[in-house]
Amino acid sequence: MNKQIVLLPGDGIGTEVIKSAQEVLIAVAEEFGHQFSFETHDIGGSAVDKHGTPLPEATVEACKQADAVLLGAVGGPKWDELPSHLRPERGLLGIRKALNLFANLRPVKGFPKLLHASPLKEEVVKGSDLLIVRELIGGLYFGQPSERRDNGETVVDTLSYTKKEIEQVVDKAFQSAQLRRKQLTSVDKANVLESSKLWREVVEEKKTAYPDVSVEHLLVDAAAMKLITNPGQFDVIVTENMFGDILSDEASVLTGSLGMLPSASLREDGVGLYEPVHGSAPDIAGKGVANPLAMILSSALMLRHSFHLENEAELIESAVQSILNEGYYTADLQVKDGQQVGTKEMTRLIVELIKSQNTTKSIQNCYA
Ligand code: NAD
């Protein structure tokens, strides 16, 4: 398979962890006989420094031509005082919009070796493995311009969705559930909001097209509670933009580290932007200690969702789990026993496992 991948390292540890993902993808391509070509472009604060804008036109054009985009992270104190149109995160919002990325997927998995680092009890997080599908470019964050009235004493924000906007993200969630344990939980506030009533109607209409997927509806307040009392009950959760924003951050504590969380933002035709959930971590940038696993797991999501290379994606995910099971960890993970390694060493271990003749054996072991 020939694929063109645009790399957007961005700022801080973004530039370090994106190299790790590239090395892992090169190893996967060699093992499976694929051709991945890479083109690097600027975004965020480094793009402001070089081009005077956080999102140069050349970056947008390259991403539009690409089969998929990998992004490190943007931002840092150096650019905090800039006017809002020059802020690094403008680059991120701009590229999501330019590519029309309507669905954001965030898998959250409790890795056995890391369960102790979660603020929740180990027995609660054990076995949790869920995917949140969040609508990304509609709803409250993209309503009519917010307004202040009555000398600032009254405010108005609007929450609007078209049926088509709901349908496309609900379809993506059903398709994602088909690739997993085939359970979909649709989260809304249908006892209060008209937009949620339409959301629920769409899910009910769509479910006949996916008879192998079981569906339940949950109000967002109950979902927030169940996510931390019994996360193991969930497979795929689909919800609108703001509920998804809040629930996916809540779910992120299950794994115990920001450095382990990948994400995917997708368009209808499968083109996607893949990035770790964490930011540019200016406090550790340049020290060689960043955890590259969220970025590496994001590249696995790219293989699965944009290129439909399920075996290749699983190989990366299993290699990550194996390396953790073998006791290797980066500084952020607070593993009690084992060997602490830096970004480059962690990447080398994953690459070697992928290339190793013993990969299949190691992977089987990790599920034993
Ligand atoms: P952050 O995620 O960058 O860091 C929070 C803490 O987690 C820090 O202590 C950091 O060292 C640690 N951390 C994060 N990722 C890590 C990794 N892979 N390995 C080891 N440790 C890791 O969040 P922040 O400090 O709030 O923000 C820093 C900058 O990043 C800000 O400019 C912010 O705007 C930006 N940011 C960007 C994105 C993005 O690009 N998607 C997301 C969040 C924050």
Side-chain angles (χ1 to χ4, degrees):
M1 180 179 276
N2 283 344
K3 292 291 176 190
Q4 171 71 37
I5 300 163
V6 164
L7 303 176
L8 305 178
D11 308 314
I13 63 166
T15 59
E16 300 167 50
V17 295
I18 210 144
K19 284 196 191 107
S20 304
Q22 186 178 10
E23 282 175 38
V24 167
L25 287 169
I26 289 169
V28 168
E30 279 171 12
E31 286 301 295
F32 288 85
H34 302 305
Q35 299 285 327
F36 297 152
S37 50
F38 300 93
E39 210 180 283
T40 301
H41 285 270
D42 298 315
I43 194 165
S46 52
V48 173
D49 291 348
K50 273 200 212 167
H51 310 280
T53 165
L55 186 60
E57 200 44 47
T59 299
V60 176
E61 276 315 304
C63 292
K64 283 183 175 169
Q65 302 300 320
D67 295 306
V69 180
L70 282 183
L71 186 140
V74 297
K78 184 178 176 192
W79 304 282
D80 276 353
E81 304 306 321
L82 290 176
S84 68
H85 70 284
L86 287 178
R87 293 287 301 259
E89 54 270 30
R90 284 275 153 195
L92 194 53
L93 296 176
I95 195 66
R96 286 176 182 160
K97 199 163 184 190
L99 296 179
N100 195 27
L101 304 170
F102 66 86
N104 180 248
L105 275 58
R106 275 213 213 171
V108 179
K109 187 173 175 178
F111 289 94
K113 272 277 178 182
L114 307 179
L115 294 184
H116 69 277
S118 170
L120 302 180
K121 288 184 188 139
E122 274 194 49
E123 61 264 32
V124 174
V125 263
K126 199 173 173 189
S128 54
D129 178 4
L130 59 95
L131 173 72
I132 297 185
V133 180
R134 164 190 169 193
E135 199 290 324
L136 199 59
I137 51 175
L140 203 52
Y141 300 168
F142 291 87
Q144 311 278 319
S146 302
E147 251 191 87
R148 288 199 175 217
R149 296 177 190 160
D150 306 334
N151 296 324
E153 305 274 313
T154 304
V155 290
V156 181
D157 291 304
T158 47
L159 197 178
S160 72
Y161 270 113
T162 64
K163 192 172 182 195
K164 188 171 173 300
E165 284 171 333
I166 301 172
E167 282 173 343
Q168 61 181 2
V169 71
V170 165
D171 272 325
K172 182 55 72 186
F174 271 109
Q175 288 153 14
S176 301
Q178 284 180 318
L179 291 172
R180 295 172 48 98
R181 301 194 304 278
K182 301 181 175 55
Q183 295 167 35
L184 182 66
T185 304
S186 174
V187 172
D188 60 38
K189 191 73 183 169
N191 54 342
V192 179
L193 298 175
E194 202 54 40
S195 56
S196 284
K197 287 179 192 152
L198 179 60
W199 186 279
R200 210 175 261 221
E201 280 165 31
V202 168
V203 173
E204 283 298 300
E205 272 172 37
K206 283 278 170 196
K207 76 178 185 190
T208 53
Y210 305 92
D212 52 334
V213 177
S214 68
V215 177
E216 67 162 345
H217 299 277
L218 207 54
L219 295 175
V220 63
D221 36 354
M225 187 262 289
K226 289 186 177 178
L227 208 45
I228 49 163
T229 51
N230 186 13
Q233 78 175 82
F234 294 109
D235 179 18
V236 177
I237 293 174
V238 63
T239 190
E240 60 93 52
N241 200 346
M242 185 178 66
F243 297 159
D245 189 8
I246 298 167
L247 292 181
S248 54
D249 266 23
E250 185 191 359
S252 70
V253 301
L254 300 176
T255 57
S257 173
L258 263 176
M260 296 301 301
L261 290 167
S263 82
S265 301
L266 303 175
R267 190 167 80 191
E268 190 65 50
D269 61 2
V271 168
L273 181 140
Y274 300 84
E275 58 183 317
V277 167
H278 63 72
S280 59
D283 53 335
I284 57 164
K287 296 185 177 161
V289 297
N291 181 351
L293 296 178
M295 186 77 242
I296 289 171
L297 290 168
S298 299
S299 70
L301 291 183
M302 178 187 78
L303 297 178
R304 173 174 296 122
H305 292 284
S306 283
F307 305 164
H308 307 292
L309 298 175
E310 183 61 30
N311 290 341
E312 289 83 338
E314 277 179 22
L315 178 60
I316 295 176
E317 289 162 349
S318 305
V320 167
Q321 180 139 329
S322 274
I323 292 299
L324 293 171
N325 284 352
E326 283 174 27
Y328 295 102
Y329 66 96
T330 45
D332 56 306
L333 295 180
Q334 301 163 2
V335 173
K336 287 173 200 144
D337 48 1
Q339 193 181 335
Q340 186 174 321
V341 292
T343 313
K344 284 188 179 156
E345 181 64 1
M346 179 58 93
T347 308
R348 190 188 64 76
L349 288 163
I350 305 276
V351 164
E352 283 196 355
L353 189 53
I354 286 170
K355 287 183 167 175
S356 138
Q357 294 301 315
N358 293 324
T359 302
T360 318
K361 191 163 149 261
S362 305
I363 287 168
Q364 281 163 354
N365 285 347
C366 84
Y367 288 115

